[in-house]
Amino acid sequence: MRALRLLLLCLSALCARADEHEHTYNEKEEVVLWMNTVGPYHNRQETYKYFSLPFCVGRKKSISHYHETLGEALQGVELEFSGLDIKFKEDVMQASYCDIELDKEKKDAFVYAIKNHYWYQMYIDDLPIWGIVGEADENGEDYYLFTYKKLEIGYNGNRIVDVNLTSEGKVKLVPNTKVPMSYSVKWKRSDVRFEDRFDKYLDPSFFQHRIHWFSIFNSFMMVIFLVGLVSMILMRTLRKDYARYSKEEEMDDMDRDLGDEYGWKQVHGDVFRPSSHPLIFSSLIGSGCQIFAVSLIVIIVAMIEDLYTERGSMLSTAIFVYAATSPVNGYFGGSLYARQGGRRWIKQMFIGAFLIPAMVCGTAFFINFIAIYYHASRAIPFGTMVAVCCICFFVILPLNLVGTILGRNLAGQPNFPCRVNAVPRPIPEKKWFMEPAVIVCLGGILPFGSIFIEMYFIFTSFWAYKIYYVYGFMMLVLVILCIVTVCVTIVCTYFLLNAEDYRWQWTSFLSAASTAIYVYMYSFYYYFFKTKMYGLFQTSFYFGYMAVFSTALGIMCGEYLAVGPTSLTYAVFLHRLQQKMLECNVFHMER
């Protein structure tokens, strides 16, 4: 039924009309006050339907339109009509719209809400409004319910640009009494432009604080340091090898035989050996490429379109972009799997296509059971679940198939500059700090250090009452993260090959992906020291989705951006240097 309503609403939206779809109104036209959710202030994600508390509904029973998007449904934004009769530019003096028959059960429900600092959220023309349910006296013995909603709406021309709510009319909660609920509407002309009407909800003093700018500068300095370090390794250290081998023309045969062949120069015949578990490795690389593409496109769209002004628009955009970029996943994952000699390409395609959706949907469905148990509005409706599954099977999978076929045909042939040794070279013992596990653990520290300040602002916008709008900062941080990750993987690969260990693929991937471990550890710190969240629902919601976010971030950091065009190119460079050395030896032998 809900899915049918969504379909009908999408069709009705095609018809031009003057209402909140277009954000324009005629004189005395209907303006809808939507009741959204109610819940504890410190648990932002623990929300319930507004009328789950024993509030009463206004006298008006029907409205002319209703709309809901996929993003709203997934976020639990279920709007319910308040029943209040509001017309554009028509003032309403204080008037009673219903009475609450306050028995003991309803009184206890309101007392519980007041004790837990329940707030409610409403919408007028997509503008959010917040109000508090009630308050207790200083001794905490008597509890009072706010019964009067005083609305002040600003308009500019035929558009609504400002809404303010004042809660008044405190009434002591006493069982077996009748509590009248009232409202008033005051319209006033405003000079606020329609494009700037969300500015009042933003917090420039928080997001544009000096520490935010300092974090960007600090990360930029880290980039300079890492680029300098990588340049020193590639130019200075390897240049000495060139110089040393060019001097061999002046050496006799015995001196050349006593030369020191060690380090990465010994593994040129093994660096192009396929990675272990190539199917999983290729699927992770393809998924990481897709996540990076989605992140980049969504941030650019958010910078241009101000997606925070529409309910659920950010999530809807992310879902659409993720589905549309599925060929990226198939292309890079399928081509890498083919280059590594993989034959079960259909299985790889399925794993690559459903790796991220399965992780997200599995976590969401698990949390959904808890939300259903708590009767929370965050519970995802069955129709929405079916819609998401249809997107996965009928959009993401076919597009991923197209990308896989293109990747296998266009970039699936191995083009390594040398043959791989038939027998793997034994890996010598090395010092403990050169072990892949140690390199992996240390590799994520610098990428995390470049983004952890931004993580604080992102966490605060999602888990507290802040609207994130500084997507320019996010774009800079994404670029810095990419550069830092590339540099870290190059350095890690150099150290690993220098220890004559040619297993660089997984080490390079995991050294960058280990950033996710530090982000998830930081989420524990944020939960216990920066929030006042409590309860099973909020805890499972927080750590469940933080695990999904951290895992996706780790896959993105370890994807083809770091593994493919950097470490592999670096390995090719090492091979070419080895070829140069061999040419020098052949020249001496001919002489």
Side-chain angles (χ1 to χ4, degrees), residues 297-311:
I297 294 173
V298 170
I299 292 175
I300 293 175
V301 172
M303 292 172 60
I304 298 174
E305 296 293 334
D306 293 336
L307 296 180
Y308 59 84
T309 61
E310 298 287 341
R311 294 186 304 270

Side-chain angles (χ1 to χ4, degrees), residues 278-279 282 334 336-349 408:
L279 190 147
S282 302
L336 180 60
Y337 185 65
R339 287 198 302 272
Q340 295 194 353
R343 297 182 181 276
R344 296 180 294 175
W345 66 273
I346 296 179
K347 183 177 180 180
Q348 186 277 328
M349 178 196 67
R408 292 179 61 84

Side-chain angles (χ1 to χ4, degrees), residues 143-144 155 287 324 420 569:
Y143 298 90
Y144 297 88
Y155 65 92
S287 298
V420 178
T569 303

Side-chain angles (χ1 to χ4, degrees), residues 43-114:
N43 283 1
R44 182 185 178 185
Q45 309 303 325
E46 184 183 347
T47 56
Y48 307 93
K49 294 181 179 180
Y50 176 82
F51 290 109
S52 63
L53 282 179
F55 289 113
C56 53
V57 186
R59 296 185 178 91
K60 190 174 182 180
K61 302 301 180 184
S62 62
I63 52 177
S64 61
H65 66 281
Y66 185 90
H67 70 93
E68 184 181 53
T69 63
L70 179 62
E72 288 178 315
L74 290 173
Q75 290 181 334
V77 182
E78 185 172 354
L79 305 180
E80 298 177 284
F81 180 46
S82 62
L84 302 185
D85 189 10
I86 303 176
K87 293 185 167 115
F88 189 65
K89 294 185 182 180
E90 185 176 280
D91 292 343
V92 177
M93 303 300 294
Q94 183 176 357
S96 176
Y97 61 88
C98 68
D99 296 323
I100 300 176
E101 299 289 341
L102 197 65
D103 55 19
K104 185 179 184 305
E105 183 180 354
K106 294 181 180 179
K107 185 250 186 183
D108 292 341
F110 280 121
V111 168
Y112 178 84
I114 295 171

Side-chain angles (χ1 to χ4, degrees), residues 165-198:
L165 171 67
T166 305
S167 298
E168 298 180 356
K170 289 197 305 183
V171 174
K172 184 178 178 180
L173 293 174
V174 179
N176 302 319
T177 58
K178 183 180 292 186
V179 179
M181 303 295 292
S182 59
Y183 80 107
S184 67
V185 180
K186 176 68 175 178
W187 292 87
K188 65 173 184 178
R189 190 182 301 275
S190 175
D191 295 329
V192 177
R193 297 190 309 164
F194 179 79
E195 294 78 11
D196 302 329
R197 65 178 188 157
F198 269 87

Side-chain angles (χ1 to χ4, degrees), residues 4 77 154 211 219 237 278 295 467 482 502 526 540:
L4 179 61
V77 182
I211 192 173
S219 300
T237 305
S295 302
I467 297 178
C482 293
Y502 51 82
Y526 185 87
S540 60

Side-chain angles (χ1 to χ4, degrees), residues 516-549:
I517 299 176
Y518 296 100
V519 171
Y520 198 58
M521 292 170 59
Y522 176 74
S523 70
F524 279 83
Y525 165 80
Y526 185 87
Y527 179 86
F528 289 108
F529 295 99
K530 297 296 182 181
T531 71
K532 296 180 181 180
M533 299 178 186
Y534 59 88
L536 174 63
F537 174 76
Q538 184 65 29
T539 302
S540 60
F541 195 98
Y542 178 87
F543 288 107
Y545 281 112
M546 284 310 307
V548 171
F549 172 80

Side-chain angles (χ1 to χ4, degrees), residues 255-543:
D255 291 334
R256 286 196 300 271
D257 293 337
L258 297 176
D260 54 340
E261 290 293 329
Y262 64 91
W264 50 264
K265 297 181 287 295
Q266 296 291 334
V267 296
H268 71 283
D270 294 282
V271 290
F272 299 108
R273 190 175 302 282
S275 62
S276 59
H277 308 290
L279 190 147
I280 301 298
F281 184 75
S282 302
S283 301
L284 288 172
I285 296 301
S287 298
C289 291
Q290 185 179 8
I291 294 174
F292 176 75
V294 171
S295 302
L296 186 65
I297 294 173
V298 170
I299 292 175
I300 293 175
V301 172
M303 292 172 60
I304 298 174
E305 296 293 334
D306 293 336
L307 296 180
Y308 59 84
T309 61
E310 298 287 341
R311 294 186 304 270
S313 58
M314 180 66 73
L315 183 57
S316 299
T317 302
I319 294 173
F320 172 78
V321 174
Y322 185 87
T325 55
S326 295
V328 175
N329 188 336
Y331 182 87
F332 288 103
S335 61
L336 180 60
Y337 185 65
R339 287 198 302 272
Q340 295 194 353
R343 297 182 181 276
R344 296 180 294 175
W345 66 273
I346 296 179
K347 183 177 180 180
Q348 186 277 328
M349 178 196 67
F350 273 94
I351 293 177
F354 295 122
L355 181 64
I356 299 300
M359 178 183 65
V360 175
C361 293
T363 304
F365 291 165
F366 169 74
I367 296 175
N368 201 50
F369 288 121
I370 301 177
I372 293 173
Y373 175 78
Y374 277 86
H375 304 286
S377 65
R378 290 285 175 176
I380 302 174
F382 178 76
T384 305
M385 294 183 187
V386 174
V388 172
C389 292
C390 290
I391 291 175
C392 293
F393 283 102
F394 299 110
V395 179
I396 294 178
L397 184 60
L399 292 179
N400 197 287
L401 174 62
V402 173
T404 301
I405 295 174
L406 291 176
R408 292 179 61 84
N409 291 315
L410 298 179
Q413 296 298 322
N415 56 352
F416 305 137
C418 70
R419 293 169 56 186
V420 178
N421 293 339
V423 179
R425 187 177 185 276
I427 299 174
E429 294 185 3
K430 45 187 174 294
K431 296 180 180 181
W432 65 270
F433 54 83
M434 300 297 291
E435 292 291 338
V438 178
I439 293 176
V440 166
C441 292
L442 298 179
I445 295 178
L446 289 179
F448 171 73
S450 66
I451 65 171
F452 86 97
I453 294 296
E454 196 66 27
M455 288 295 101
Y456 171 75
F457 291 101
I458 293 174
F459 287 4
T460 304
S461 66
F462 190 77
W463 302 110
Y465 295 90
K466 300 284 186 183
I467 297 178
Y468 191 94
Y469 68 97
V470 284
Y471 292 100
F473 282 99
M474 186 179 288
M475 176 62 74
L476 288 175
V477 170
L478 180 63
V479 173
I480 290 173
L481 176 63
C482 293
I483 298 175
V484 172
T485 303
V486 168
C487 294
V488 166
T489 52
I490 290 177
V491 173
C492 291
T493 303
Y494 173 79
F495 287 146
L496 192 69
L497 296 180
N498 204 45
E500 300 183 17
D501 190 342
Y502 51 82
R503 301 170 299 180
W504 60 272
Q505 292 97 334
W506 276 108
T507 304
S508 178
F509 178 88
L510 294 176
S511 63
S514 62
T515 306
I517 299 176
Y518 296 100
V519 171
Y520 198 58
M521 292 170 59
Y522 176 74
S523 70
F524 279 83
Y525 165 80
Y526 185 87
Y527 179 86
F528 289 108
F529 295 99
K530 297 296 182 181
T531 71
K532 296 180 181 180
M533 299 178 186
Y534 59 88
L536 174 63
F537 174 76
Q538 184 65 29
T539 302
S540 60
F541 195 98
Y542 178 87
F543 288 107

